[in-house]
Amino acid sequence: MARSRFPLRLRQTLTIALLAGLTFGAQAKIDQVRFAVDPTYPPFESKTPKGELVGFDIDLGNALCAQMQAKCVWVESQFDGMIPALKARKFDAILSDMGITEERLKQIDFTVPLYDTHTQLIARKGSGLLPTAASLKGKIVGVEQGTVQERYARAKWQPAGVQVVPYGDQAQVESDLVSGRLDAVFTDAAQAANGFLKQPQGKNFELAGPIVQDPIIGPGTAIGLRKGDAELKAALDNAFAEIKKNGTFDTLQKKYFASDISIQP
């Protein structure tokens, strides 16, 4: 038997390091992911009459956890408070249709982009309103607080005389649109088309004008993570790559959306 080329002390040091690495590897396995979700945003996330969380993001999170062999825990949170709560470690990640923006990247990290939906205006049928400052001047536009839609509306429309009203959750925005307190709502187009506009209360409303694209709105949606949480990011990125490859993501998006929301190369 050939002798090792390493002196005994060095071999002992390497053995200890190897064992420590194996121990660390065992500890590094992610057993649970606590996802923050705002369940007022169908079809991405909402609650059944029995209080069960349902929606595209819920199914997507559960699929990612299954791929990682980890337990999914859902933590309900208002959207505008998610980033501070994430930084305070009240949960591990945000999976609630949160778009990647430069402003958010200053505070948190993101996984790879998961999907891309558009932003549009909802208004009463026949209103003729368009998502421009000139068309909306003197009008009242509702947005969910903390969203890219709020940031865009405040930056682009409010200085021109548009009254931008933020709400704690999307259900409140839609309720005030139906009641006539709002002239329009600025929101995720997929959420509107597959959620509000398919409900009885949305029958008199429509997507108004073209989609809005701007750096403020960002390039797509991802999972928000605490700065430097490289281990969880790698696990989620790898899991997402696998469910894209095996067709799970495609099955889920077809369940909820009529159009392809996957990130295009």
Side-chain angles (χ1 to χ4, degrees):
M1 180 183 292
R3 291 181 180 269
S4 167
R5 291 178 296 167
F6 297 114
L8 177 60
R9 185 177 295 277
L10 182 55
R11 276 187 283 142
Q12 289 172 335
T13 302
L14 290 171
T15 301
I16 291 169
L18 177 61
L19 290 173
L22 291 172
T23 302
F24 175 78
Q27 291 175 338
K29 183 185 182 305
I30 295 169
D31 296 315
Q32 175 179 285
V33 183
R34 297 173 300 157
F35 285 120
V37 64
D38 171 14
T40 68
Y41 212 68
F44 293 96
E45 45 263 345
S46 60
K47 274 185 169 182
T48 68
K50 293 183 178 179
E52 298 170 339
L53 289 170
V54 294
F56 175 71
D57 281 339
I58 306 300
D59 286 358
L60 177 58
N62 287 332
L64 290 171
C65 285
Q67 182 65 42
M68 295 162 58
Q69 297 183 331
K71 179 183 178 182
C72 256
V73 176
W74 295 96
V75 181
E76 295 179 32
S77 175
Q78 281 202 325
F79 191 84
D80 66 328
M82 285 183 178
I83 289 178
L86 174 67
K87 292 163 78 172
R89 310 187 77 86
K90 293 185 178 179
F91 36 76
D92 306 308
I94 299 169
L95 181 45
S96 195
D97 193 30
M98 179 171 279
I100 306 165
T101 67
E102 290 183 6
E103 192 66 28
R104 286 172 179 156
L105 282 167
K106 294 175 184 176
Q107 301 186 68
I108 62 173
D109 288 340
F110 283 95
T111 61
V112 294
L114 306 180
Y115 55 86
D116 188 15
T117 54
H118 300 301
T119 293
Q120 278 185 273
L121 198 70
I122 308 174
R124 193 169 291 275
K125 290 178 178 178
S127 70
L129 291 177
L130 296 171
T132 66
S135 178
L136 296 171
K137 185 176 181 179
K139 303 296 184 183
I140 306 173
V141 177
V143 291
E144 186 174 6
Q145 194 168 330
T147 60
V148 292
Q149 288 83 11
E150 181 190 12
R151 289 189 61 241
Y152 180 91
R154 287 192 182 281
K156 303 290 186 176
W157 299 341
Q158 190 166 271
V162 181
Q163 185 177 344
V164 178
V165 182
Y167 290 79
D169 63 58
Q170 187 68 14
Q172 294 174 0
V173 188
E174 293 165 358
S175 176
D176 273 11
L177 178 65
V178 172
S179 71
R181 294 188 184 93
L182 297 174
D183 296 299
V185 167
F186 195 42
T187 188
D188 185 295
Q191 184 274 329
N194 296 278
F196 173 70
L197 295 178
K198 284 191 173 180
Q199 303 303 316
Q201 65 266 31
K203 66 180 181 180
N204 296 320
F205 299 88
E206 63 184 354
L207 290 169
I211 64 172
V212 177
Q213 294 178 303
D214 190 272
I216 291 176
I217 293 170
T221 295
I223 297 172
L225 303 167
R226 278 187 294 276
K227 282 284 186 185
D229 197 347
E231 183 181 298
L232 182 55
K233 173 176 166 53
L236 288 167
D237 285 349
N238 290 337
F240 183 67
E242 286 301 315
I243 68 168
K244 282 275 286 184
K245 188 193 307 182
N246 65 27
T248 300
F249 178 84
D250 197 43
T251 299
L252 292 180
Q253 71 158 337
K254 286 177 179 176
K255 175 181 174 182
Y256 290 96
F257 306 106
S259 57
D260 186 356
I261 66 167
S262 60
I263 299 293
Q264 301 303 313

